[in-house]
Amino acid sequence: MLRWRIALLICSAIVLSYLDRLTLPWTLSEIQKEYPFSDQIKALFDSAFLIAYGLMYLGGGRLLDRLGTRRGFLAVMVFWSVACASQGLAGNYGRPTVLGMAFALVMLVVSRFLLGMGEGGGFPAATRAITEWFPVQERSTAMGIINAGTAAGAVAAPWLIWLVLRYTGWFGLAPWRWVFLLSGGMGLLWTLWWIADYQLPERHRQLRDSERAYILSGDVAGANQIASGSGPSFVELLSHREVWTIVGAKFLTDAAWYFYMFWLPKFLMETFKLKFSAATGVGWIPYAAAGAGCLVGGGLSSALLQRGFSVNAARKLALGASAAFMPWVMLVPQIGSVGWVVLIFSLAFFGQQSWSTLVMVLPTDMIPRQAVGTVAGMVGLGGALGGIVLGQIAGYLRDHHHSYTPILITAGSLHVIAFILICAVIPRIRRIEFRMNTPQAL
């Protein structure tokens, strides 16, 4: 069925998104041989990405609500692909240091900022596409498939990067530079598929009438709100505590996720004295578990809905089950076996991406379709800010000779706190009634 092919198309974009954002964490050891830097500079790379990512997540959501999914997703993919490739051009070029940083490192900070700016539009676009192409009872499954792209990209990243580092070096460019250039090029190739295959269900020529009717019948409430006006204002969205609660939950839980994602390669190499090849040999396993979590979390929620559970019960049962996997990571500092540590991180990655899939579905349950991109942007901004805060704390503690223990204990508690917050503030997940902006007659 065509809607599942559309889900695969969007999933592949998310694969490239996570491949692009993980190019730097996995090549840091190679770059550091040429341009040495501290852990706080490493945290600065991450923060530059997340600041732009969060702001563009917010602005990109609003932009996508105005441009539409087809044009908006095309624009952000081109932008972030070029930004990713630009990291391969970082160098001193005879320039002096800037605030004590080599000019090449400044260029990397700028490139990471631009990459975050482009990628910030990715998930708002994906959320809009899910709302456009799937009825409510299938959205968590579809979002799970798309969110599994995060894991696929993260699993592929260490292996592809290892291959590029081992077998390139063409035209006198260091192999680590080709990692960025080739990754960015893959994104530009994807845009050809997008242009050829994505349209709204109402306009897609290959969509059968029966499937079109099924898709459009699944969002009657949203369609009625669309017909009644141009959507709630930004101020109106902010006036509802449900919106703030989802943003707050994402702030808490993405703080842990971004720490795991950006610091796991470094943690494994430092803690267990692993070489790059050995770290890539085990570092992909937690990301594979994350992919399974994407599918299981969304699939569990959809299965509960099909068995007659309410949306409120289906979402919260799945969220609670996901949060239960997270505290185990607190045990990591007490374990000296790399195998057991990878297993525990795998449980955490599984729970995190199961959780993330469900949290990204919540706006589609409560928000009218034409405002979903904006709310998804607000949620993403909250998550990015959480990642910045915990990442900067981690960099400071590491540069001041502290262990990873306090960070891992903090990260392991955040999902449980977020789940309690959602249950306390949103007793029932339901469609929110907004005051709509009605176009004025001329």
Side-chain angles (χ1 to χ4, degrees):
M1 290 178 281
L2 185 59
R3 66 187 183 279
W4 298 108
R5 191 176 85 197
I6 295 297
L8 180 62
L9 168 62
I10 301 165
C11 176
S12 64
I14 302 304
V15 170
L16 293 172
S17 168
Y18 266 64
L19 173 62
D20 290 349
R21 74 180 63 181
L22 286 172
T23 48
L24 185 64
W26 279 108
T27 54
L28 282 176
S29 60
E30 296 298 311
I31 297 172
Q32 200 164 24
K33 295 174 184 177
E34 195 169 339
Y35 306 107
F37 53 86
S38 67
D39 279 343
Q40 283 192 284
I41 297 298
K42 181 257 185 290
L44 180 59
F45 295 149
D46 299 339
S47 295
F49 173 89
L50 289 171
I51 289 169
Y53 183 77
L55 292 174
M56 185 57 184
Y57 218 125
L58 179 62
R62 202 68 173 176
L63 179 65
L64 284 156
D65 285 338
R66 293 181 179 275
L67 289 181
T69 309
R70 177 178 164 84
R71 288 186 297 171
F73 214 152
L74 176 64
V76 297
M77 175 60 86
V78 170
F79 190 94
W80 97 49
S81 297
V82 173
C84 179
S86 73
Q87 294 170 99
L89 304 178
N92 286 331
Y93 298 104
R95 300 275 185 169
T97 60
V98 179
L99 299 177
M101 292 174 56
F103 189 74
L105 301 179
V106 175
M107 290 187 67
L108 282 174
V109 170
V110 172
S111 291
R112 292 299 283 183
F113 183 89
L114 295 175
L115 177 63
M117 186 181 296
E119 290 200 12
F123 266 104
T127 304
R128 276 187 59 92
I130 289 298
T131 309
E132 291 168 355
W133 272 89
F134 289 89
V136 65
Q137 66 268 25
E138 292 182 345
R139 285 178 187 165
S140 63
T141 300
M143 185 61 77
I145 292 171
I146 290 169
N147 211 24
T150 63
V155 168
W159 295 103
L160 292 176
I161 290 168
W162 179 81
L163 288 173
V164 173
L165 292 176
R166 184 175 178 86
Y167 294 108
T168 64
W170 309 314
F171 307 111
L173 292 177
W176 66 263
R177 297 183 184 277
W178 283 105
V179 170
F180 301 111
L181 296 172
L182 293 174
S183 183
M186 291 168 65
L188 295 176
L189 289 175
W190 177 89
T191 62
L192 302 178
W193 182 11
W194 177 259
I195 292 170
D197 209 21
Y198 192 87
Q199 290 286 356
L200 287 171
E202 297 90 335
R203 302 174 187 170
H204 206 296
R205 296 179 180 179
Q206 298 179 30
L207 185 63
R208 294 181 179 180
D209 291 340
S210 59
E211 187 177 4
R212 180 179 291 110
Y214 174 71
I215 293 168
L216 298 179
S217 68
D219 192 25
V220 175
N224 289 340
Q225 285 195 312
I226 288 172
S228 68
S230 62
S233 67
F234 195 74
V235 173
E236 172 67 12
L237 290 171
L238 291 175
S239 69
H240 289 267
R241 64 182 184 178
E242 293 91 344
V243 174
W244 280 106
T245 299
I246 300 173
V247 173
K250 194 70 169 171
F251 173 89
L252 293 170
T253 57
D254 271 14
W257 173 236
Y258 286 122
F259 170 72
Y260 297 149
M261 181 170 58
F262 289 145
W263 287 79
L264 181 62
K266 186 176 179 63
F267 173 82
L268 292 174
M269 292 182 202
E270 287 183 350
T271 304
F272 297 101
K273 310 301 180 185
L274 298 180
K275 294 183 179 180
F276 182 87
S277 58
T280 58
V282 296
W284 64 272
I285 297 174
Y287 295 105
C294 294
L295 300 175
V296 170
L300 173 60
S301 181
S302 291
L304 291 172
L305 285 172
Q306 291 170 5
R307 287 179 176 271
F309 284 76
S310 67
V311 171
N312 181 66
R315 302 300 191 226
K316 287 182 178 175
L317 285 171
L319 282 167
S322 303
F325 283 91
M326 306 309 297
W328 295 100
V329 80
M330 298 181 187
L331 298 176
V332 166
Q334 311 303 321
I335 297 174
S337 165
V338 65
W340 281 105
V341 165
V342 169
L343 174 61
I344 290 175
F345 272 117
S346 297
L347 291 175
F349 278 46
F350 176 93
Q352 151 61 32
Q353 287 304 84
S354 174
W355 170 280
S356 180
T357 296
L358 294 158
V359 168
M360 291 306 296
V361 169
L362 291 181
T364 73
D365 294 328
M366 297 190 289
I367 308 298
R369 192 167 88 174
Q370 75 275 32
V372 164
T374 300
V375 175
M378 296 166 64
V379 172
L381 174 60
L385 292 176
I388 291 168
V389 171
L390 194 59
Q392 287 295 322
I393 292 172
Y396 175 85
L397 291 176
R398 292 298 297 156
D399 275 349
H400 288 79
H401 311 294
H402 292 277
S403 72
Y404 285 99
T405 300
I407 304 300
L408 290 170
I409 291 174
T410 301
S413 66
L414 294 176
H415 288 72
V416 175
I417 296 171
F419 179 63
I420 293 171
L421 176 67
I422 289 174
C423 291
V425 181
I426 310 178
R428 186 163 69 93
I429 297 170
R430 58 180 176 79
R431 179 75 64 174
I432 302 171
E433 295 297 327
F434 289 97
R435 294 190 301 272
M436 310 299 284
N437 288 333
T438 303
Q440 299 296 316
L442 296 177

